[in-house]
């Protein structure tokens, strides 16, 4: 359940071993966040990885059901012996006073949508996704502010130092403003009250707030399965971000391990 990198790899590995595999995806395209991550023009390696999996799935015997929400009722009617939950994660929304007063967008969805309304954009979260979306929007001529509570040295701790340096250099050259050691204390409509590193406060006016504060596992289906009779009739596994948010290759390795065993 879920056609991101982990789900596709699990399906392909099981298919190669001769199992009858159905792959459910509630979106109308495969790829999940890997597809979205490949959109910025400098992400050619991710694009090649996505293209590889898309074509491998198309050339396999896996039955792909796109635009299908695999709920408990559907799975109970399928007589499945093994269920692999690979539904990914969701944006971990920060606890900010007044966040509900704005129509904040989740960063990955911007890549899918292509742009945002307004010219002055504030991105809360300076991790890999936040910085890439900041660069992407700056290429469209938007004025972009990326805010994170950690220091510049602590940004993107899981990234290779060279990759991190290249991305930060891209942001600087593009004119993206990066505010580190800064807290978003309050949001009131288009007004952001910031707590700066020097202890002072500052208010910024923005047209759009973007949330890029990381991912949390989607646990709902996993929990529902274990509270249903399927827990007794099928082996149930989970891979990728719905187990523990991580990198694409971690999800792929987990999918291969489940599919091959």
């Amino acid at each position: 359940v879920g056609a991101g990198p982990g789900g596709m790899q699990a399906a392909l590995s099981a298919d190669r071993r001769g199992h009858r595999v159905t792959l459910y995806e509630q979106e109308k395209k495969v790829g999940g966040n890997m597809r979205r991550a490949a959109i910025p023009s400098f992400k050619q390696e991710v694009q090649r990885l996505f293209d590889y999996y898309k074509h491998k799935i198309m050339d396999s015997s896996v039955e792909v059901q796109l635009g299908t929400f695999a709920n408990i009722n559907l799975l109970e009617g399928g007589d499945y012996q093994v269920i692999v939950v690979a539904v990914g994660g969701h944006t971990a929304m920060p606890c900010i006073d007044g966040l509900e007063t704005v129509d904040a967008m989740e960063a990955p969805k911007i890549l899918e949508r292509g742009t945002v309304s307004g010219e002055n954009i504030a991105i809360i979260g300076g991790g890999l996704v936040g910085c890439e979306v900041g660069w992407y929007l700056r290429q469209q001529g938007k004025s972009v502010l990326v805010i994170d509570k950690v220091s510049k040295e602590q940004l993107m701790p899981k990234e290779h130092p060279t990759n991190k340096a290249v991305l930060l250099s891209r942001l600087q050259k593009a004119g993206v403003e990066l505010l580190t050691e800064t807290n978003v204390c309050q949001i009131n409509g288009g007004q952001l009250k910031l707590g700066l590193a020097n202890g002072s406060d500052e208010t910024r006016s923005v047209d759009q707030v973007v949330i890029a504060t990381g991912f949390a596992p989607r646990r709902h289906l996993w929990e529902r399965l274990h509270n249903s009779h399927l827990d007794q009739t099928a082996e149930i596994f989970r891979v990728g971000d719905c187990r523990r948010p991580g990198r694409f290759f971690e999800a792929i390795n987990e999918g291969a391990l489940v599919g091959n065993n």
Side-chain angles (χ1 to χ4, degrees), residues 157-226:
K158 294 183 179 181
E159 290 303 305
H160 189 280
T162 300
N163 294 340
K164 172 182 171 179
V166 169
L167 180 53
L168 290 177
S169 176
R170 286 181 184 273
L171 294 180
Q172 183 179 16
K173 290 178 180 178
V176 173
E177 184 179 2
L178 179 61
L179 280 181
T180 56
E181 300 180 76
T182 299
N183 288 302
V184 181
C185 304
Q186 187 180 49
I187 300 175
N188 185 7
Q191 303 293 310
L192 272 62
K193 182 180 179 182
L194 307 178
L196 305 181
N198 61 12
S200 64
D201 293 337
E202 181 178 312
T203 299
R204 294 289 189 97
S205 297
V206 299
D207 301 317
Q208 179 69 59
V209 174
V210 177
I211 305 299
T213 45
F215 293 95
R218 282 196 178 100
R219 295 192 174 97
H220 181 69
L221 179 59
W222 170 259
E223 293 171 352
R224 288 290 307 277
L225 286 169
H226 280 287

Side-chain angles (χ1 to χ4, degrees), residues 1-14:
V1 182
M8 287 193 290
Q9 182 59 61
L12 289 169
S13 295

Side-chain angles (χ1 to χ4, degrees), residues 31-220:
N33 279 334
M34 180 169 65
R35 183 185 72 250
R36 287 179 274 270
I39 291 174
S41 59
F42 62 88
K43 301 295 288 292
Q44 295 96 333
E45 289 186 4
V46 179
Q47 182 65 58
R48 286 194 291 269
L49 183 65
F50 168 60
D51 289 341
Y52 168 82
Y53 274 98
K54 181 174 66 174
H55 291 122
K56 291 293 285 186
I57 283 290
M58 291 173 59
D59 293 339
S60 73
S61 300
V62 174
E63 179 186 350
V64 181
Q65 298 282 347
L66 297 177
T68 303
F69 180 68
N71 57 23
I72 289 291
N73 291 336
L74 185 150
L75 296 173
E76 285 180 334
D79 192 29
Y80 297 115
Q81 296 172 310
V82 177
I83 298 173
V84 180
V85 181
V87 294
H90 61 84
T91 298
M93 301 301 286
C95 183
I96 300 174
D97 183 28
L99 180 59
E100 72 281 358
T101 67
V102 295
D103 185 20
M105 289 191 65
E106 299 176 22
K109 293 182 179 179
I110 290 176
L111 295 173
E112 189 90 75
R113 180 175 170 179
T115 189
V116 294
S117 59
E119 296 303 316
N120 297 306
I121 315 300
I123 299 176
I124 301 175
L128 178 65
V129 174
C131 288
E132 288 183 348
V133 170
W135 179 89
Y136 180 73
L137 291 175
R138 183 63 187 139
Q139 301 310 297
Q140 300 176 17
K142 308 287 187 182
S143 176
V144 180
L145 169 66
V146 177
I147 307 164
D148 204 292
K149 61 185 179 181
V150 304
S151 68
K152 188 175 181 179
E153 291 71 28
Q154 293 173 306
L155 290 175
M156 297 176 271
K158 294 183 179 181
E159 290 303 305
H160 189 280
T162 300
N163 294 340
K164 172 182 171 179
V166 169
L167 180 53
L168 290 177
S169 176
R170 286 181 184 273
L171 294 180
Q172 183 179 16
K173 290 178 180 178
V176 173
E177 184 179 2
L178 179 61
L179 280 181
T180 56
E181 300 180 76
T182 299
N183 288 302
V184 181
C185 304
Q186 187 180 49
I187 300 175
N188 185 7
Q191 303 293 310
L192 272 62
K193 182 180 179 182
L194 307 178
L196 305 181
N198 61 12
S200 64
D201 293 337
E202 181 178 312
T203 299
R204 294 289 189 97
S205 297
V206 299
D207 301 317
Q208 179 69 59
V209 174
V210 177
I211 305 299
T213 45
F215 293 95
R218 282 196 178 100
R219 295 192 174 97
H220 181 69

